[in-house]
Amino acid sequence: MFNALTALPADPILGLLTQYRNDNHPQKIDLGVGVYKDPQGNTPILDCVKNAEQLRTDSETTKVYIGPTGSEQFNQLMSQLAFGSDHSALLADRVRTVSTPGGTGALRVAAEFIKQCNPDATIWVSDPTWANHTGLFEAAGLTVKTYPYYDYDSKTLKFEQMTNALKQVSKDDVVLLHACCHNPSGMDLTNAQWDEVIAIATQQGFTPLIDMAYQGFGDGIDDDAYGVRKMAQAVENMILCSSCSKNFGLYRERIGACTLVASNTAVANTAFSVLLYVIRCIYSMPPAHGAALVETILGTPALKQQWIDELTVMRDRINGNRQMLVDKLIENGVDHDFSFIAKQKGMFSFLGINAAQVKQLKQEHSIYMVDSSRMSIAGISEANVDYLAKSIKAVL
């Protein structure tokens, strides 16, 4: 059976990581992998997580299954984090949340759930979007199409083209939107633009699927959830996929959540039963450890405040890195306008150079990013930004 297979190309980001690790250049820079890094280039365990782990170790009494929905406390706290504790959808009992193996697991569960709802549904994703979105949805048997989003030339949002495209989407289809910190462009919708998109969603009747992998990394926990909260108030049906990898630093724990918002309690219960069937057929039971840490943090006032403080440090560092790179490029006499980098949000931005220049950065300067010039902003530091700016200038 295996002899019939044809080898598939390796993930380009994982391939870059291998090349970076094998590079002996003393000033090499990794701008490929999308994980948070501190000024020393490490991805630390948050202090609030360490404290929660100690509490978990002291209090855990069993490793028995926790059921396909995961921890009820985790699900409730994640719903409140996403929507706010007094959101109308929560008060009306329209929301159902399950724990999932990371944000990726949440997206795959959502895809299989959509397939149960409408096998012929098309899911519309932004151009560009996270590289794994298309594969996840196609693996579930869904048709994937794109709507205009990022203008590579002007480094702005193609908002008019985007809204014109969404006005043509069928009520039987699904539209994926990034809640904040758009991956890979860093170009987010403004609140006013969110309002327009929400109006189109209510008019067209399509189902919004919002991917929120970076809540708290853009402008703040509540600010980053603006579109999620307004959309849930306006539409009858919505799906939200959340991740705890970035904002809690729980990358390897693989914990996220998939949330359904339905028109009323009865529809929510029916949809929830289908969601549980989907879960049972994929992984049966979710991982428990990461969820236990998150619920301990969010459910303990002192730990929650510690998390908010640590999240603020991470967000401020990323935003500071953006401005630091722009300033250093100007300082080194680069006459190209890179000011757009400081205006964007989250972990990623396109540098805006071509694939040949990206290759030159790697081969001549040991600076690693994917061919599209998408760079991970967290890989920049005070120690390497001057070398990075000089290297960029050299390839322009």
Side-chain angles (χ1 to χ4, degrees), residues 81-96:
L81 185 66
F83 297 106
S85 58
D86 59 350
H87 193 281
S88 60
L90 292 176
L91 298 178
D93 194 27
R94 299 171 51 215
V95 177
R96 299 291 182 271

Side-chain angles (χ1 to χ4, degrees), residues 33-51:
V33 177
V35 298
Y36 176 80
K37 296 180 181 179
D38 64 18
Q40 290 72 45
N42 302 314
T43 303
I45 301 174
L46 299 184
D47 290 336
C48 63
V49 170
K50 289 184 178 180
N51 292 332

Side-chain angles (χ1 to χ4, degrees), residues 10-134:
D11 183 281
I13 296 177
L14 298 181
L16 267 184
L17 181 60
T18 300
Q19 295 176 45
Y20 171 79
R21 288 173 174 169
N22 293 334
D23 191 330
N24 295 319
H25 193 291
Q27 292 179 287
K28 65 181 181 179
I29 303 175
D30 176 18
L31 301 179
V33 177
V35 298
Y36 176 80
K37 296 180 181 179
D38 64 18
Q40 290 72 45
N42 302 314
T43 303
I45 301 174
L46 299 184
D47 290 336
C48 63
V49 170
K50 289 184 178 180
N51 292 332
E53 283 187 312
Q54 186 60 55
L55 291 172
R56 174 70 170 169
T57 299
D58 294 342
S59 62
E60 187 177 32
T61 59
T62 181
K63 294 292 186 182
V64 73
Y65 294 124
I66 55 173
T69 63
S71 163
E72 290 187 14
Q73 184 183 7
F74 170 82
N75 296 338
Q76 179 182 9
L77 290 168
M78 285 296 288
S79 297
Q80 293 173 353
L81 185 66
F83 297 106
S85 58
D86 59 350
H87 193 281
S88 60
L90 292 176
L91 298 178
D93 194 27
R94 299 171 51 215
V95 177
R96 299 291 182 271
T97 298
V98 295
S99 311
T100 60
T104 303
L107 287 162
R108 183 56 190 265
V109 166
E112 297 287 353
F113 174 79
I114 292 165
K115 187 71 172 178
Q116 292 287 327
C117 294
N118 177 15
D120 298 321
T122 293
I123 182 159
W124 295 80
V125 302
S126 62
D127 179 18
T129 193
W130 179 46
N132 208 24
H133 275 149
T134 299

Side-chain angles (χ1 to χ4, degrees), residues 180-194:
C180 60
C181 305
H182 185 273
N183 179 2
S185 74
M187 182 60 63
D188 285 353
L189 297 171
T190 65
N191 287 356
Q193 289 170 334
W194 265 113

Side-chain angles (χ1 to χ4, degrees), residues 373-395:
S373 83
R374 189 219 74 171
M375 57 180 178
S376 178
I377 301 297
I380 301 169
S381 68
E382 290 185 0
N384 67 26
V385 67
D386 191 57
Y387 175 71
L388 174 60
K390 286 181 167 63
S391 301
I392 292 171
K393 180 181 180 180
V395 304

Side-chain angles (χ1 to χ4, degrees), residues 195-217:
D195 291 343
E196 287 191 51
V197 170
I198 292 166
I200 295 170
T202 57
Q203 176 185 338
Q204 293 299 115
F206 58 71
T207 301
L209 167 57
I210 303 182
D211 188 357
M212 185 160 62
Y214 302 96
Q215 186 179 6
F217 263 55

